[in-house]
Amino acid sequence: MPLLNIENLSGKTLIIPVVSTANVAQLSVDLLISSLGLVRIAVLDSKYFIPLVGSRVNGELGITTPFELYGKGELGIIVLQQRSPILKAMKQELIDDLFDFVQKSGIAGVLVLSGVDLSNRSDEQMLTPTYQLQLNSLHLSSPLHRLNEFPIPKYTSPVPQKPGANNDESQVPFIPGGGITHRILSSLPETWSIPLAVLLRFALDGDNRADAHSLASIVAQVMGIDITSIQWKQPESWSGLFGTPHDQSLYG
């Protein structure tokens, strides 16, 4: 996974948004990039994705590509942003190369963000839209240890992956609408020791700005960022994305 203009990533936590239901993960990362003032620090190999190119926001020079890395010197997080679907034949190669990149870069923790299809949740899962999965123990020394302190319930699959199958929670649970999240978790090498967790958000396609704000806020708190100091700022790319507000006078 070749990188351009890369800086030292050792000790930082990598946020990975998975293309999934309602694009909640991508929208959350958009908010984090815009609100925390993150800048592009690397352009990653785009061979895994459907080709895409576009202009950059705020009149910045250069072009936007399918796979980019954002960060800011003093912050302990870096975030990936994916803007194009993965080619079907390249899914496993992308995951394997991503694991290799994480291990070689000295990254201290990985937090995966994913949407889950709201129409599949159980009655018990209607109490909160956000859940978590921990793939290894998060000790106090882990950059993700705050997940143990927050009242975010553990995710269990609301439905079996195949009709008639049992939900075997000893394995990675089925994540309907979760894109490659399940494959990422199922592909972890046996020797993997880097703290890794997943935040999952039940959602349906539509105006998902509120979901994105909520998930981005949770990510910031998990990473120890004071959310009272953040002025949440929607990126320019959202302009017109969700239509225009209704004229309230139509409703009396």
Side-chain angles (χ1 to χ4, degrees):
M1 186 175 289
L3 301 171
L4 301 177
N5 302 325
I6 197 65
E7 61 179 36
N8 182 23
L9 306 180
S10 179
K12 294 184 181 287
T13 299
L14 176 66
I15 313 296
I16 302 177
V18 173
V19 173
S20 49
T21 296
N23 286 325
V24 171
Q26 273 70 39
L27 294 173
S28 299
V29 164
D30 269 348
L31 273 176
L32 291 170
I33 291 171
S34 180
S35 304
L36 297 177
L38 305 185
V39 297
R40 188 173 72 178
I41 60 174
V43 175
L44 286 79
D45 195 338
S46 60
K47 68 179 181 181
Y48 315 94
F49 309 98
I50 294 173
L52 172 144
V53 68
S55 60
R56 300 187 67 191
V57 298
N58 302 322
E60 296 175 10
L61 296 177
I63 58 173
T64 293
T65 66
F67 208 34
E68 298 176 338
L69 188 66
Y70 289 78
K72 192 176 180 180
E74 68 272 20
L75 282 180
I77 67 169
I78 50 175
V79 299
L80 284 172
Q81 183 58 296
Q82 178 187 337
R83 297 186 176 87
S84 178
I86 306 169
L87 294 166
K88 186 176 181 180
M90 300 293 286
K91 289 180 179 180
Q92 193 59 50
E93 184 175 344
L94 168 63
I95 292 170
D96 293 341
D97 288 350
L98 194 56
F99 288 156
D100 185 60
F101 162 64
V102 168
Q103 292 177 310
K104 289 181 177 178
S105 300
I107 287 170
V110 178
L111 183 60
V112 179
L113 310 180
S114 175
V116 189
D117 186 357
L118 182 69
S119 63
N120 282 298
R121 68 176 175 175
S122 64
D123 290 346
E124 293 78 10
Q125 291 170 326
M126 292 186 179
L127 297 176
T128 178
T130 306
Y131 288 79
Q132 65 167 303
L133 273 175
Q134 297 184 15
L135 271 292
N136 42 27
S137 298
L138 302 181
H139 302 293
L140 283 176
S141 59
S142 163
L144 304 175
H145 71 89
R146 294 178 186 85
L147 280 171
N148 294 325
E149 304 168 7
F150 297 150
I152 304 174
K154 177 185 175 182
Y155 173 81
T156 57
S157 180
V159 293
Q161 185 167 5
K162 297 179 181 178
N166 294 323
N167 270 350
D168 184 1
E169 295 298 343
S170 64
Q171 305 297 320
V172 177
F174 176 48
I175 305 171
I180 65 168
T181 305
H182 186 278
R183 183 184 287 227
I184 290 174
L185 305 181
S186 301
S187 301
L188 278 174
E190 291 184 4
T191 57
W192 186 269
S193 60
I194 300 169
L196 186 148
V198 187
L199 283 174
L200 302 117
R201 179 85 179 189
F202 279 101
L204 287 176
D205 285 306
D207 185 344
N208 298 103
R209 283 175 288 188
D211 292 307
H213 274 276
S214 176
L215 187 55
S217 176
I218 293 171
V219 170
Q221 292 176 76
V222 168
M223 298 315 305
I225 300 172
D226 180 8
I227 60 171
T228 62
S229 67
I230 301 175
Q231 288 188 323
W232 294 106
K233 177 184 176 183
Q234 295 186 11
E236 282 187 1
S237 57
W238 286 19
S239 178
L241 183 63
F242 301 101
T244 56
H246 296 296
D247 182 354
Q248 295 302 313
S249 65
L250 293 173
Y251 306 102

